[in-house]
Amino acid sequence: MSSEHQRLAGFLWSVADLLRGSYKQSEYGRVVLPFTVLRRLECVLEPHKAAIIEKRDELKEKGIENRERQLLSFVRPLGLSFFNESNLSLTRIVGSETDEHVIARNLRTYIGGFSTTAADIFEHYDFTNQIARLEKSGLLYQVAGKFAEVDLSPERVSNHQMGYLFEELIRRFSEISNETAGEHFTPREVINLMVKLLLSPDEADLLTPNRVFTVLDPACGTGGMLTAAEDFITEHNPNATVKLFGQEMNPESYAISRSDTLIKGEQADNIKLGNSFTDDRHAARSFSYLLANPPFGVEWKQARAEVEAEHENKGYRGRFGAGLPRINDGSLLFLQHMIHHMRTPDEGGARVAIVFNGSPLFTGGAESGESNIRRWILENDWLEGIVALPDQLFYNTGISTYFWILSNKKDPAHRGRVILLDAREEWEKMRKSLGDKRKFIPDDRIAELTKVYVNALSEAESDSRVKVFRPRDFGYRRITVERPLRLRFEVTEEALAELEANKTLAKDTDLRDKVLAALRPLAGRDPVYSRADFDATLKAAYADAGLTGIPAAVTKQVWNAVGVSDPEGELQKDKKGDVLPDTDLRDYENVPLDEDIHAYLEREVLPHVPDAWIDESKTKVGYEIPFTRHFYQYTPPRPLEEIDAELKELEGEIQCLLGEVTE
């Protein structure tokens, strides 16, 4: 940002000094941002104000009450996408009146004169309530007067420069509002790296003359990622047309993002308000580039009915055909939503970048929703790379984060390959912490990491921070390893207590008591290792107690209670003669997809438990990406002699300190 932009930002920031005491720091933006938008729109309209008023009067004379369509048609040839048909302006409002109540009334009238596109922004800023609050605090005249003084005309500040100015204000207000900044604002250097990793591999394509690029952020917050993507593209190709699209469910963040596009002269209607899961406002569109930083680990319970209905009724024709993650983390729903909106390869293809925490890498066992989504992505060869970032990068969380980068237009050299780039140590410490943000990635590291990543795509460079895998390398078979059920039979006090508490027997307490009375004399006898022998003993005990016609369900519960797993016990089989498994000894193993499960069993299991086998009916396929495991480096323990010497040295220091205390 130039010194002029800094001066303007500083001037607008100085308005915050007026708010001190009446507003919390985290609330300054609620006043400064909408007033900045108001003043910018006013300055843009100023050269055409008289013509707009004249056209309004002409339409009024014709008796036209709803003039929006006609006035928009009138201003479009002037390069405008909005208008204000009020005679008022900030200068006029504060120049002829000091009464707070009158100023508030005139401001509301002035805001009401805007066309729907602009009026919608002020509505979602909740600007009317801010006007009332400023009036009540006796600050409205001073604040409005400040903004009336600043020149934000296009001749003084271009659309591009205005975008930078607005971004600077958003950044400043977000940084002093640490409790919510991470929800709606991504640190600038994180966006910078993300955009470079997303767009740099397409650098040659970006230079194509007269190209139109469409960019979507389905969780756009205040719009910083969209702005950064546009800047990258236009820096490489000033003649390119970049169309930005976004969706945001937080009304204030939506207002900021929408006003940012409007004050830069772009299509504000491309920024939509709503929940991307339940109300896809860009349903019919596909995009060249998609990027997002959705909230980490946020549940999707409120959208459950709509999401599950789309999954079940539309399958892969909808957005969520691959699977549904657990209800407490909708991260992978965002990724499926973005994949759905990628341009197809026939349309030129698309690239995606998204910020995740570690959970989507591995959460969910084989054939769970998360695993099936990973499988779908990897088996379609869409995953291009994952970049592990330093921790403590974000304002409201210190956890580790990752970029996932996807492409459906991989170069031949990279097809069937997935890059893992470890950037966890590429950081510097901040001079002053901002919430949980204590680290940042400097520009030189961003440039270096971008180069390493792009080179890895073409296999041009080998770097210790990079590992390359095939998509299948992340797949595995979850096998169920069974061992035979061997039992001994005995009546113990534990078995009797289990039967007494059994729900099946509790349905007929009289029968239960008779069964227990028949079995109690058997307690304490030596175990029996033959089911047939113990069956004879049971029948004799029942006969002695006068019990006949015992239901099969009760008999089953008795056998469950008296049978005890024992490696020396009798091998148990079903009626077909098949060996029964011991569920207490059941185990599970994850076997890489490219390895034969029986060869794995023979090598890894049978040497330890030679009677084990695989129940192939229970085998499942899963996918996970154990990033940290692939970059783990073993550190040998320190020699005992070194540890002993250090302990003795510490003991000596402690003794000296104790001696000083007692003197």
Side-chain angles (χ1 to χ4, degrees):
M1 184 177 285
S2 70
S3 58
E4 174 64 12
H5 306 149
Q6 290 283 8
R7 187 190 68 79
L8 283 171
F11 171 79
L12 295 173
W13 180 259
S14 70
V15 176
D17 291 334
L18 297 174
L19 304 176
R20 200 180 308 278
S22 298
Y23 279 76
K24 297 177 183 178
Q25 277 193 326
S26 58
E27 298 176 319
Y28 292 171
R30 298 178 186 178
V31 174
V32 175
L33 294 175
F35 263 110
T36 302
V37 174
L38 177 59
R39 180 57 178 158
R40 172 62 173 188
L41 300 185
E42 179 175 272
C43 290
V44 169
L45 289 174
E46 182 59 33
H48 313 288
K49 183 78 172 179
I52 293 171
I53 297 300
E54 183 179 341
K55 183 65 176 178
R56 177 206 66 185
D57 293 342
E58 176 188 322
L59 294 171
K60 272 186 176 181
E61 288 177 9
K62 293 180 180 179
I64 299 174
E65 294 296 327
N66 188 354
R67 298 177 289 276
E68 173 118 354
R69 183 173 57 83
Q70 290 91 337
L71 285 173
L72 281 175
S73 297
F74 176 73
V75 299
R76 282 194 185 104
L78 304 175
L80 300 172
S81 59
F82 63 96
F83 63 82
N84 187 304
E85 60 175 328
S86 168
N87 291 321
L88 295 168
S89 67
L90 275 179
T91 304
R92 182 172 296 180
I93 289 171
V94 298
S96 58
E97 187 61 62
T98 59
D99 184 278
E100 295 277 324
H101 177 69
V102 176
I103 292 173
R105 185 186 62 206
N106 288 339
L107 259 178
R108 285 190 286 269
T109 301
Y110 182 32
I111 297 300
F114 276 105
S115 53
T116 302
T117 302
D120 178 69
I121 292 171
F122 294 108
E123 178 184 341
H124 287 95
Y125 269 123
D126 198 21
F127 194 40
T128 300
N129 284 335
Q130 296 307 323
I131 291 172
R133 186 173 172 183
L134 289 167
E135 176 195 353
K136 186 177 180 180
S137 303
L139 296 171
L140 187 57
Y141 173 73
Q142 295 179 71
V143 171
K146 275 269 191 183
F147 280 94
E149 295 172 9
V150 66
D151 184 359
L152 296 181
S153 63
E155 293 75 23
R156 180 73 181 272
V157 186
S158 70
N159 285 340
H160 194 65
Q161 292 167 336
M162 192 67 210
Y164 277 129
L165 171 62
F166 202 65
E167 181 192 355
E168 176 71 9
L169 290 173
I170 296 168
R171 182 184 66 81
R172 291 194 189 190
F173 288 124
S174 296
E175 286 180 352
I176 66 170
S177 180
N178 294 325
E179 72 272 12
T180 58
E183 294 180 18
H184 314 301
F185 186 80
T186 306
R188 181 178 295 182
E189 85 277 8
V190 176
I191 295 176
N192 190 10
L193 176 58
M194 186 178 184
V195 166
K196 281 181 164 56
L197 294 176
L198 176 69
L199 297 174
S200 292
D202 280 359
E203 210 157 334
D205 192 38
L206 297 179
L207 298 175
T208 306
N210 303 316
R211 284 292 303 273
V212 177
F213 300 97
T214 53
V215 186
L216 171 69
D217 183 344
C220 65
T222 56
M225 286 186 174
L226 291 171
T227 298
E230 179 184 34
D231 290 345
F232 186 97
I233 294 171
T234 54
E235 283 170 9
H236 285 75
N237 184 355
N239 297 318
T241 299
V242 183
K243 296 183 178 181
L244 304 179
F245 298 81
Q247 185 161 344
E248 172 58 36
M249 64 183 295
N250 176 275
E252 186 174 295
S253 298
Y254 157 78
I256 293 172
S257 183
R258 190 174 170 93
S259 54
D260 184 38
T261 58
L262 192 64
I263 63 179
K264 290 188 293 186
E266 298 172 355
Q267 191 62 42
D269 283 340
N270 290 347
I271 308 299
K272 305 291 187 181
L273 178 67
N275 187 319
S276 289
F277 296 161
T278 60
D279 184 18
D280 183 2
R281 304 294 302 277
H282 300 292
R285 292 184 176 274
S286 58
F287 301 89
S288 318
Y289 299 102
L290 304 96
L291 71 174
N293 175 21
F296 298 148
V298 173
E299 67 175 29
W300 49 281
K301 187 180 296 183
Q302 291 182 337
R304 183 172 194 161
E306 293 90 341
V307 170
E308 288 182 346
E310 183 169 340
H311 170 72
E312 292 166 6
N313 298 331
K314 292 187 176 181
Y316 287 100
R317 292 182 295 106
R319 296 171 293 166
F320 310 120
L324 302 180
R326 62 197 61 199
I327 199 72
N328 62 0
D329 188 355
S331 299
L332 287 169
L333 290 180
F334 269 106
L335 184 53
Q336 288 187 88
H337 172 82
M338 295 167 79
I339 291 171
H340 179 79
H341 282 288
M342 295 173 77
R343 286 191 317 180
T344 65
D346 291 342
E347 297 171 319
R351 292 172 58 77
V352 170
I354 190 168
V355 185
F356 280 155
N357 61 14
S359 178
L361 293 169
F362 53 79
T363 298
E367 298 187 10
S368 66
E370 291 93 345
S371 178
N372 287 341
I373 295 167
R374 290 189 291 266
R375 178 178 183 175
W376 174 63
I377 292 168
L378 286 158
E379 289 187 350
N380 278 287
D381 196 20
W382 292 329
L383 185 61
E384 179 182 280
I386 294 178
V387 180
L389 302 173
D391 59 9
Q392 301 178 44
L393 277 185
F394 290 83
Y395 297 107
N396 65 340
T397 179
I399 63 175
S400 298
T401 51
Y402 301 80
F403 290 148
W404 286 43
I405 302 166
L406 285 73
S407 173
N408 62 4
K409 55 174 185 175
K410 288 184 177 181
D411 290 335
H414 190 63
R415 287 174 191 157
R417 301 170 74 242
V418 177
I419 294 170
L420 300 187
L421 171 57
D422 187 4
R424 289 174 294 178
E425 299 304 319
E426 308 302 319
W427 57 273
E428 289 185 9
K429 189 174 180 61
M430 295 182 64
R431 284 177 290 182
K432 180 183 177 183
S433 298
L434 293 169
D436 290 307
K437 182 173 176 58
R438 297 176 178 86
K439 299 176 181 177
F440 75 101
I441 307 175
D443 289 345
D444 60 337
R445 300 279 186 95
I446 290 174
E448 180 189 356
L449 289 170
T450 303
K451 181 180 178 182
V452 168
Y453 184 84
V454 173
N455 285 342
L457 290 176
S458 59
E459 298 182 289
E461 179 178 317
S462 176
D463 191 287
S464 61
R465 292 166 292 186
V466 172
K467 293 184 184 295
V468 180
F469 297 88
R470 300 171 306 159
R472 283 182 61 83
D473 293 335
F474 301 113
Y476 63 90
R477 290 185 181 88
R478 177 78 160 175
I479 63 171
T480 302
V481 179
E482 303 282 18
R483 294 177 62 188
L485 178 63
R486 295 180 182 274
L487 297 177
R488 70 173 190 267
F489 305 94
E490 57 181 326
V491 177
T492 63
E493 291 300 328
E494 290 80 8
L496 293 171
E498 180 183 331
L499 289 170
E500 190 171 8
N502 187 275
K503 291 181 180 179
T504 301
L505 274 68
K507 295 176 182 177
D508 188 340
T509 55
D510 184 55
L511 175 62
R512 179 195 65 188
D513 293 343
K514 289 178 180 179
V515 169
L516 290 171
L519 294 177
R520 193 161 278 114
L522 302 180
R525 292 189 185 183
D526 290 339
V528 176
Y529 287 84
S530 165
R531 187 182 180 96
D533 291 346
F534 196 77
D535 185 45
T537 301
L538 278 179
K539 288 178 179 177
Y542 291 153
D544 291 343
L547 278 173
T548 58
I550 298 175
V554 174
T555 299
K556 180 181 179 181
Q557 299 305 319
V558 172
W559 279 108
N560 287 342
V562 300
V564 181
S565 181
D566 187 330
E568 303 300 324
E570 180 185 57
L571 186 67
Q572 303 298 301
K573 297 182 180 181
D574 61 17
K575 293 180 180 179
K576 297 178 182 179
D578 296 328
V579 175
L580 291 170
D582 188 336
T583 56
D584 290 335
L585 298 178
R586 181 174 291 158
D587 198 6
Y588 302 92
E589 299 281 345
N590 291 346
V591 182
L593 281 183
D594 287 339
E595 184 166 356
D596 181 85
I597 58 175
H598 298 287
Y600 178 91
L601 181 77
E602 186 172 344
R603 185 184 73 249
E604 299 292 340
V605 179
L606 295 184
H608 309 288
V609 281
D611 56 358
W613 76 92
I614 298 173
D615 183 347
E616 296 195 42
S617 68
K618 294 185 174 74
T619 298
K620 297 179 179 181
V621 174
Y623 277 79
E624 65 178 10
I625 305 170
F627 193 104
T628 53
R629 186 195 309 167
H630 289 303
F631 288 92
Y632 172 75
Q633 292 185 343
Y634 172 71
T635 303
R638 295 162 60 196
L640 288 175
E641 295 81 2
E642 182 181 325
I643 296 173
D644 285 340
E646 186 175 319
L647 287 173
K648 288 178 181 178
E649 183 179 343
L650 289 172
E651 286 175 4
E653 293 177 5
I654 291 170
Q655 291 297 328
C656 289
L657 291 171
L658 289 173
E660 292 176 4
V661 171
T662 56
E663 287 179 359

